[in-house]
Amino acid sequence: QLSVYTTTRSSIGAESNIDLVLNVEDFDIESKFERTVNVSVPKKTRNNGTLYAFVFLHHAGILPWHDGKQVHIVSPLTTYMVPKPEEINLLTGESATQQIEAEKQTNALDEPVSHWRSRLTLNVMVEDFVFDGSSLPADVHRYMKMIQLGKTVLYLPILFIDQLSNRVKDLMIINRSTTELPLTVSYDKISLGKLRFWIHMQDAVYSLQQFGFSEKDADEVKGIFVDTNLYFLALTFFVAAFHLLFDFLAFKNDISFWKKKRSMIGMSTKAVLWRCFSTVVIFLFLLDEQTSLLVLIPAGVGAVIELWKVKKALKMTIRWQGLRPKFQFGAYNDSEKKTEEYDAQAMKYLSYLLYPLCIGGAGYSLLNVKYKSWYSWLINSFVNGVYAFGFLFMLPQLFVNYKMKSVAHLPWKAFTYKAFNTFIDDIFAFIITMPTSHRLACFRDDVVFLVYLYQRWLYPVDKSRVNEYGESYEEKLKKKS
């Protein structure tokens, strides 16, 4: 039979201080089931303590600790996390729950508190297998319990708890007034191959936490395995490898392009400034939302590169006078001034549409949406403007291209790699947890890039046209001759 006990201790040797929460008689390892039981929460657990579940497979009619052939496994039913700050209406001070419990006021927001894991997923390995005793895989061996009957060594049923199914979204904060909490116990059989794969995945997630990943970051990785079809998961790994490669190549070519660039002819300075502002705002927004590091780290690297590009676009030099920096800006030539005129003309028309929409959206969200703080509202207002209308700031570059009838001044290598990543991001948007606005922005960039491609086709290569380095193909030939 299958028995599930709870206790505040990580090991038990007797019947004292334990509670039986589930007993399945005539347990059949081939039949899956799911049951929800109410678990009594001890005072020690309510006072920010831990509660453990002991799962036993043992002979019927015998207490598990009196059965020499029992197998058991231990799993914590609680985990420590910093509670999510409560969101309120910034003007009225009204909370989402209309009440703030006294104990929540006393707890510091940055102090981890005990949370309840509402699911316990059990598996028993059902396949017969034969391994040589000296070459038994270590991953399986640690879950095995062997007994000797005469000259024969037998292994008892392999019991396994699926920790990957414990998601952050299912956690419940444990209040001091809570005496009972629901626990959903589900069981299904598992094959040897899946058992070994799951063991390695759990070890990988544990390793991420040892390297400094938070529980929330590790939970994003869990979601990829648990919530995704196996074939789709294989595709995800394949696509992720290419995404990493194209990210690196895009960053490399973008840096190389701007490092060699001496002229801003044909380049929209305002588009560069907007790109920098929007990238920094998006990074701060993702940081405020505690988004997965899989999304946050590339956004942070991109923000640093965009800040450096602004320095190049404005021809800015920094000189230090003691501890005080002094900024100097270079002068533009006639061709660059012509580009700036086109740029300013495009921005003039955009401002009539953009500013009222952004200000109106920020005011509406302040009145109707709840936020953690004024900073959170400010960042959300900026980022909603960036996501909703950010593509409009890419239009000045399209306008400059149209007026100059040229696209030779653009970093096409970096664009190409970024385009591949944009389409890959469309796939990731459905796999990795991220804010909805960030997810929609992935599809917005596709449209803009298609317009760039159309302009590339519309304005063919002219060998007398100045390239991104301020030189033309014909000038190079003259220099060589």
Side-chain angles (χ1 to χ4, degrees), residues 238-306:
F238 180 73
V239 168
F242 276 98
H243 192 283
L244 189 63
L245 174 65
F246 289 139
D247 257 340
F248 171 76
L249 291 173
F251 286 144
K252 174 181 173 293
N253 282 279
D254 211 18
I255 292 170
S256 176
F257 170 83
W258 282 91
K259 191 176 181 180
K260 296 177 182 177
K261 191 164 185 61
R262 298 194 298 270
S263 171
M264 284 298 291
I265 297 173
M267 295 295 291
S268 170
T269 305
K270 289 183 175 59
V272 175
L273 287 169
W274 167 253
R275 186 75 180 172
C276 175
F277 170 76
S278 61
T279 308
V280 171
V281 166
I282 288 171
F283 172 72
L284 293 175
F285 169 68
L286 296 174
L287 192 65
D288 185 57
E289 290 289 317
Q290 299 178 341
T291 309
S292 167
L293 290 178
L294 300 172
V295 178
L296 190 63
I297 291 175
V301 173
V304 172
I305 292 175
E306 292 298 330

Side-chain angles (χ1 to χ4, degrees), residues 58 115 135 203 212 257 298 348 448 466:
H58 59 100
H115 285 65
S135 59
D203 290 346
F257 170 83
K348 178 184 175 182
V448 177
V466 174

Side-chain angles (χ1 to χ4, degrees), residues 7 55 63 87 110 154 166 182 200 238 251 257 271 307 320 329 385 413 447:
T7 177
V55 183
L63 290 174
E87 295 180 345
D110 57 349
L154 303 175
N166 291 326
H200 286 296
F238 180 73
F251 286 144
F257 170 83
L307 287 167
W320 292 89
F329 298 91
K413 276 188 179 180
V447 178

Side-chain angles (χ1 to χ4, degrees), residues 327-340:
F327 299 96
Q328 293 182 335
F329 298 91
Y332 291 115
N333 59 34
D334 292 337
S335 298
E336 290 173 322
K337 286 178 181 176
K338 193 68 175 174
T339 301
E340 286 299 307

Side-chain angles (χ1 to χ4, degrees), residues 2-58:
L2 175 75
S3 300
V4 180
Y5 293 85
T6 59
T7 177
T8 55
R9 296 181 297 174
S10 58
S11 61
I12 57 174
E15 199 175 343
S16 58
N17 298 322
I18 62 172
D19 289 320
L20 176 65
V21 294
L22 178 65
N23 186 33
V24 182
E25 297 180 351
D26 298 324
F27 175 63
D28 179 11
I29 63 171
E30 297 286 345
S31 303
K32 66 178 183 179
F33 67 83
E34 182 172 295
R35 297 183 190 177
T36 300
V37 294
N38 289 324
V39 177
S40 177
V41 184
K43 186 177 179 181
K44 184 177 179 181
T45 305
R46 297 199 299 269
N47 291 330
N48 223 16
T50 306
L51 191 66
Y52 296 93
F54 280 76
V55 183
F56 289 92
L57 273 181
H58 59 100

Side-chain angles (χ1 to χ4, degrees), residues 386-424:
V386 168
Y387 283 142
F389 315 116
F391 72 98
L392 297 178
F393 276 94
M394 300 179 190
L395 301 184
Q397 183 63 63
L398 296 176
F399 185 75
V400 170
N401 296 345
Y402 163 72
K403 297 293 284 187
M404 298 189 72
K405 301 295 186 290
S406 169
V407 292
H409 40 264
L410 298 177
W412 279 102
K413 276 188 179 180
F415 265 13
T416 304
Y417 293 128
K418 285 179 181 178
F420 281 124
N421 263 0
T422 298
F423 298 126
I424 291 172

Side-chain angles (χ1 to χ4, degrees), residues 2-7 9-12 51-58 64 70-77 120-125 139-140 142-145 157-163 185-187 195 199 202:
L2 175 75
S3 300
V4 180
Y5 293 85
T6 59
T7 177
R9 296 181 297 174
S10 58
S11 61
I12 57 174
L51 191 66
Y52 296 93
F54 280 76
V55 183
F56 289 92
L57 273 181
H58 59 100
Q70 56 84 12
V71 288
H72 73 274
I73 193 166
V74 187
S75 176
L77 293 176
L120 183 64
T121 306
L122 310 174
N123 302 112
V124 173
M125 205 283 292
D139 49 13
V140 179
R142 61 178 149 150
Y143 285 93
M144 291 179 66
K145 180 179 178 182
I158 297 177
L159 185 60
F160 177 72
I161 292 182
D162 181 5
Q163 301 289 0
V185 181
S186 58
Y187 167 79
L195 172 68
I199 290 171
Q202 288 189 174

